[in-house]
Amino acid sequence: MARGTGQALGGDSLATLADVARRAGVSPATASRVINGSSKPVADELRERVLSAVAELRYVPNAHAQLLARPQRSVVGVVVHDVSDPYFAEVTRGLQRVATDRGRLVIICNSYRDPERELEYVEMLRGQQVAAIVLAGSGYHDADFTARLTEKLAAYEATGGRVAVIGRHEHPGDAVMPANDVGGRLLGEELLRLGHRQIGVIAGPRVLTTITDRLRGLRAALADGGVTLDDDHVRYADFDRDGGARAAAELLDTVDGLTALVALNDSMAVGALALLRQRGVRVPDQVSVAGFDDMPVAADVTPTLTTVRLPLVELGARAMTLALGPAADRSRVEVLPAELVRRESLGPAPR
Amino acid sequence: MARGTGQALGGDSLATLADVARRAGVSPATASRVINGSSKPVADELRERVLSAVAELRYVPNAHAQLLARPQRSVVGVVVHDVSDPYFAEVTRGLQRVATDRGRLVIICNSYRDPERELEYVEMLRGQQVAAIVLAGSGYHDADFTARLTEKLAAYEATGGRVAVIGRHEHPGDAVMPANDVGGRLLGEELLRLGHRQIGVIAGPRVLTTITDRLRGLRAALADGGVTLDDDHVRYADFDRDGGARAAAELLDTVDGLTALVALNDSMAVGALALLRQRGVRVPDQVSVAGFDDMPVAADVTPTLTTVRLPLVELGARAMTLALGPAADRSRVEVLPAELVRRESLGPAPR
DNA sequence: CCAAGCCGGGCAAGGGCTTTCCCGATGATC
DNA sequence: GATCATCGGGAAAGCCCTTGCCCGGCTTGG
């Protein structure tokens, strides 16, 4: 039964339902009924024969043929910025937990923060006939891209697909949002309370709406306390450890008298901490540091990191729940609360 | 054209190739040729008409029908212990990089270290007709399970599928292994050099072959130096931070005079470090600590963690490369080197 | 000016599975 | 014992797409 004509993928082809039926001496219809436990009863003897044929041939139904014949969608597509980022690792954990509980298979696609790739994946998932698409990760400040993505998602929804997005809300479908602005505000208020006036901000990539949201909250709180955040006190950096260290170095080198450094995620905060240690700057005695997200590492660095906790696993779980639940008449937006976690890295401003 | 009969997934059905052809006033054959840029030429005018029909209907080909008609496999299935574990996050990054470079889509499945689920996923991926299956994560000490999995993988390979495994080698297909035993040995030698004789080991789950391998290397090195590792010096724990802390506490409470704690992964080492800090034990002055894997956190804790570096990203990249490359006559096993990374947490034994 | 070739397009046959519809053979009923 | 209902099984259509094959019309060469 060799089929390959010298193809890289040579070898015997998979057993088909017809093979099973032939071996069991029944029709494909009967074999099918036995295999999916159809409502229609099958005589015990035939059932036996089919089952042993399945075992002998190691038959596995061709999922594509099944889907074609019975368009029952059970797969969910997830497009995420980067699963190996701890933030998304947590979110993904929540997504998976719910999906698995409901017997759904998840296809995870990494866009690596490339908007074009995000678009491609949505297209591809549509072709895969997935039951739902979940987009996890901040939106982009790019009106053209946003419009194109919205258009694609709308087309998908129009054909019965479900859409849920995490951390952005500028699209059709349900949205689950961490309270980024509130988090920024909490941090700002805490800084004021501790007497900080000269504050440096290590922001992530400028194009991400998450960054804008966090910064807006922070700015607003500081403004309420009479402190304005100059543009040169804000450095945009890569969202990782090294980016944080670089931005911290720049801030220290260009702005005098800083008493606090706020990083808009924990990875960058950890980088800043490392740079400060390397330069012999004591935290928080000389300079305070704060982060964002409360990722596991925050509790293990020295000094432990004051940060804003976002319910990451919950974010994923809620999004998947919405995506798999009944469709709403119109888009829902759920906001999950942020919470300040006080640890050692943020202390009173030195006088 | 509504099809749904009140289904949860109501709405209009997806546009099909036939719809496109009808709208463009051509046959489905022609539409298909335009869409996949077949070698057969199509008149410019018709091509135009088809293309605009595609755009208007937002047509996306049904991937399942395509796969059925042209059995060209381009998807790779990955079954991983837990993507949200930083270890696998790194490995997955390597896997994805190579897959993406070659235009392959990746389906990621989390087994959460449940052997049964691992089996199920392999079965399902087989049904999905994936081009290759990559298993990432330690094997289990369970002969029955191993046999069943081997059987399934063999069946898959027999039908032309490719298999690559990471961190285990007891199966068909190519294997990429970190040098776990060498890593254990390196750690053992370093401990001896620093004068440690009373050593506690925080091992991970007993059922994982990775743990056995690491432990074997460590034991061998110590034995060469005349130090035997009693069973009560070894504690099996969950592979995470809390497991590490608990095991460290047990060891300290039950064994006297320990001068070093070796954790068989970094998460557990971090947990141990936290426990020691909480108990006011100075590291490494009173007790030394070492980890395994060199995950990012190792450089950020205080004291920084001495550990064994494994090339995690490389592990994933090699496995995917093997899985997508030409099949070998028989299983290949590649071992990637381990390397000791000396940092602060491991010092000379107190006298 | 006719025959031979091309070229561009359509027809139709699958690919593997599910499911409706139908039919023959039972068992039950009067 | 004849009629009917019922039950178990098979034939075949259809899901959506690709592609080998064929055919009509044009161009070209003799």
Side-chain angles (χ1 to χ4, degrees):
Chain A
M1 279 284 166
R3 175 205 281 164
T5 58
Q7 281 247 342
L9 295 178
D12 289 331
S13 60
L14 240 49
T16 73
L17 186 64
D19 297 333
V20 171
R22 201 171 313 124
R23 184 174 195 110
V26 301
S27 75
T30 302
S32 170
R33 288 195 263 258
V34 170
I35 289 165
N36 338 324
S38 128
S39 56
K40 197 154 188 188
V42 174
D44 284 348
E45 191 200 324
L46 296 196
R47 152 167 289 109
E48 278 306 306
R49 295 220 305 261
V50 169
L51 255 23
S52 57
V54 165
E56 285 165 30
L57 296 175
R58 295 194 176 86
Y59 171 72
V60 181
N62 181 322
H64 302 295
Q66 274 184 316
L67 246 71
L68 208 53
R70 161 172 29 86
Q72 172 240 114
R73 292 135 205 228
S74 76
V75 177
V76 178
V78 173
V79 182
V80 58
H81 278 192
D82 183 4
V83 257
S84 50
D85 179 326
Y87 181 101
F88 292 106
E90 297 291 311
V91 172
T92 306
R93 182 196 293 275
L95 285 167
Q96 292 251 7
R97 202 194 56 210
V98 174
T100 304
D101 284 355
R102 312 218 179 166
R104 303 310 193 92
L105 182 70
V106 172
I107 299 187
I108 298 180
C109 309
N110 266 300
S111 72
Y112 290 113
R113 299 201 174 78
D114 176 349
E116 288 306 319
R117 190 139 14 153
E118 212 167 77
L119 245 18
E120 279 171 29
Y121 273 130
V122 168
E123 192 84 356
M124 190 216 70
L125 289 171
R126 205 146 88 79
Q128 293 280 333
Q129 317 281 103
V130 295
I133 295 181
V134 178
L135 253 49
S138 170
Y140 299 89
H141 286 298
D142 179 337
D144 175 56
F145 161 76
T146 304
R148 285 199 291 155
L149 182 54
T150 292
E151 207 268 350
K152 280 209 196 314
L153 292 176
Y156 174 66
E157 282 202 314
T159 58
R162 300 297 311 284
V163 174
V165 297
I166 300 173
R168 46 171 90 170
H169 52 257
E170 62 275 24
H171 295 296
D174 296 325
V176 183
M177 297 285 301
N180 284 315
D181 48 354
V182 174
R185 179 168 276 282
L186 291 174
L187 226 35
E189 287 165 359
E190 180 78 353
L191 286 163
L192 288 173
R193 182 165 30 248
L194 290 167
H196 293 278
R197 291 291 177 273
Q198 285 286 327
I199 298 161
V201 177
I202 303 173
R206 177 175 241 136
V207 295
L208 299 182
T209 54
T210 294
I211 292 302
T212 322
D213 292 348
R214 294 180 180 182
L215 204 48
R216 188 180 49 244
L218 180 62
R219 270 220 162 85
L222 293 179
D224 287 354
V227 175
T228 50
L229 204 54
D230 293 346
D231 278 352
D232 60 340
H233 285 212
V234 178
R235 282 286 184 293
Y236 294 91
D238 279 350
F239 232 166
D240 58 18
R241 209 192 111 107
D242 291 348
R246 257 196 304 278
E250 283 180 32
L251 282 167
L252 292 176
D253 293 342
T254 57
V255 184
D256 281 342
L258 286 180
T259 65
L261 249 29
V262 177
L264 262 29
N265 84 356
D266 283 350
S267 299
M268 298 191 298
V270 169
L273 241 26
L275 180 97
L276 292 170
R277 188 180 330 119
Q278 180 191 316
R279 292 205 176 179
V281 178
R282 292 190 314 277
V283 178
D285 300 344
Q286 295 175 274
V287 173
S288 282
V289 172
F292 218 112
D293 293 344
D294 193 29
M295 296 186 330
V297 69
D300 288 316
V301 290
T302 308
T304 54
L305 190 64
T306 291
T307 185
V308 173
R309 172 174 304 157
L310 298 179
L312 302 181
V313 175
E314 201 53 27
L315 231 35
R318 280 305 298 160
M320 186 59 80
T321 304
L322 288 175
L324 296 182
D329 292 350
R330 50 183 181 180
S331 299
R332 290 164 287 201
V333 177
E334 285 192 11
V335 178
L336 266 41
E339 175 192 358
L340 183 69
V341 181
R342 294 192 179 81
R343 294 208 185 89
E344 301 163 355
S345 67
L346 182 54
R351 24 186 29 260
Chain B
M1 282 275 148
R3 177 204 280 163
T5 57
Q7 283 248 340
L9 295 179
D12 290 331
S13 62
L14 240 48
T16 73
L17 186 63
D19 296 332
V20 171
R22 201 171 312 123
R23 184 175 196 110
V26 301
S27 76
T30 303
S32 170
R33 288 194 264 259
V34 170
I35 288 164
N36 341 321
S38 129
S39 55
K40 196 152 188 188
V42 174
D44 283 349
E45 192 200 322
L46 295 195
R47 152 166 288 111
E48 279 307 304
R49 295 220 305 262
V50 169
L51 256 24
S52 56
V54 165
E56 286 165 29
L57 296 175
R58 295 196 176 84
Y59 171 72
V60 181
N62 181 322
H64 302 294
Q66 275 184 316
L67 245 72
L68 206 54
R70 161 168 32 83
Q72 173 241 114
R73 288 131 208 232
S74 75
V75 177
V76 178
V78 173
V79 182
V80 57
H81 278 193
D82 182 3
V83 258
S84 49
D85 178 327
Y87 180 101
F88 292 105
E90 297 289 310
V91 171
T92 305
R93 182 196 293 275
L95 286 166
Q96 290 253 7
R97 203 194 58 211
V98 173
T100 304
D101 285 355
R102 312 218 179 166
R104 303 309 194 94
L105 181 70
V106 172
I107 298 186
I108 298 180
C109 311
N110 267 302
S111 73
Y112 290 112
R113 298 203 175 77
D114 175 350
E116 288 307 318
R117 190 143 9 156
E118 211 166 78
L119 244 18
E120 278 170 30
Y121 274 131
V122 167
E123 192 85 354
M124 190 216 69
L125 290 171
R126 204 145 91 77
Q128 292 282 332
Q129 317 282 102
V130 295
I133 295 180
V134 177
L135 251 51
S138 169
Y140 299 89
H141 286 297
D142 178 338
D144 174 56
F145 161 75
T146 304
R148 284 198 293 155
L149 181 53
T150 292
E151 208 267 350
K152 280 212 194 316
L153 292 176
Y156 174 66
E157 280 202 315
T159 58
R162 301 295 312 285
V163 173
V165 297
I166 299 175
R168 47 171 88 169
H169 54 258
E170 61 275 26
H171 295 296
D174 297 324
V176 183
M177 296 286 299
N180 284 317
D181 49 353
V182 174
R185 179 168 276 283
L186 290 173
L187 225 37
E189 289 165 358
E190 179 77 354
L191 286 162
L192 288 173
R193 181 163 33 245
L194 291 167
H196 293 278
R197 292 289 176 275
Q198 284 288 325
I199 298 161
V201 177
I202 302 173
R206 178 174 239 135
V207 294
L208 299 182
T209 55
T210 294
I211 291 302
T212 322
D213 292 348
R214 294 180 179 181
L215 203 48
R216 188 178 50 242
L218 179 63
R219 269 219 163 86
L222 293 179
D224 288 355
V227 174
T228 49
L229 204 53
D230 293 345
D231 277 352
D232 61 341
H233 285 211
V234 178
R235 281 290 183 292
Y236 295 91
D238 279 350
F239 232 166
D240 58 18
R241 209 192 111 108
D242 290 347
R246 257 195 305 277
E250 283 181 32
L251 282 167
L252 292 176
D253 292 343
T254 57
V255 184
D256 280 339
L258 286 179
T259 65
L261 249 29
V262 177
L264 262 29
N265 83 357
D266 283 351
S267 298
M268 296 190 299
V270 168
L273 240 27
L275 180 97
L276 291 170
R277 187 179 333 119
Q278 181 191 315
R279 292 202 176 181
V281 178
R282 293 192 313 277
V283 178
D285 301 342
Q286 295 174 275
V287 173
S288 282
V289 172
F292 219 111
D293 294 343
D294 193 28
M295 296 187 327
V297 69
D300 289 316
V301 290
T302 308
T304 55
L305 190 64
T306 291
T307 185
V308 173
R309 172 175 304 158
L310 297 180
L312 302 181
V313 175
E314 201 55 28
L315 232 33
R318 282 303 299 159
M320 187 58 80
T321 304
L322 288 173
L324 297 181
D329 293 349
R330 50 183 182 180
S331 298
R332 292 165 287 202
V333 177
E334 286 192 11
V335 178
L336 266 41
E339 176 193 357
L340 184 69
V341 181
R342 294 192 178 81
R343 294 208 184 89
E344 301 164 355
S345 67
L346 182 53
R351 25 189 25 264

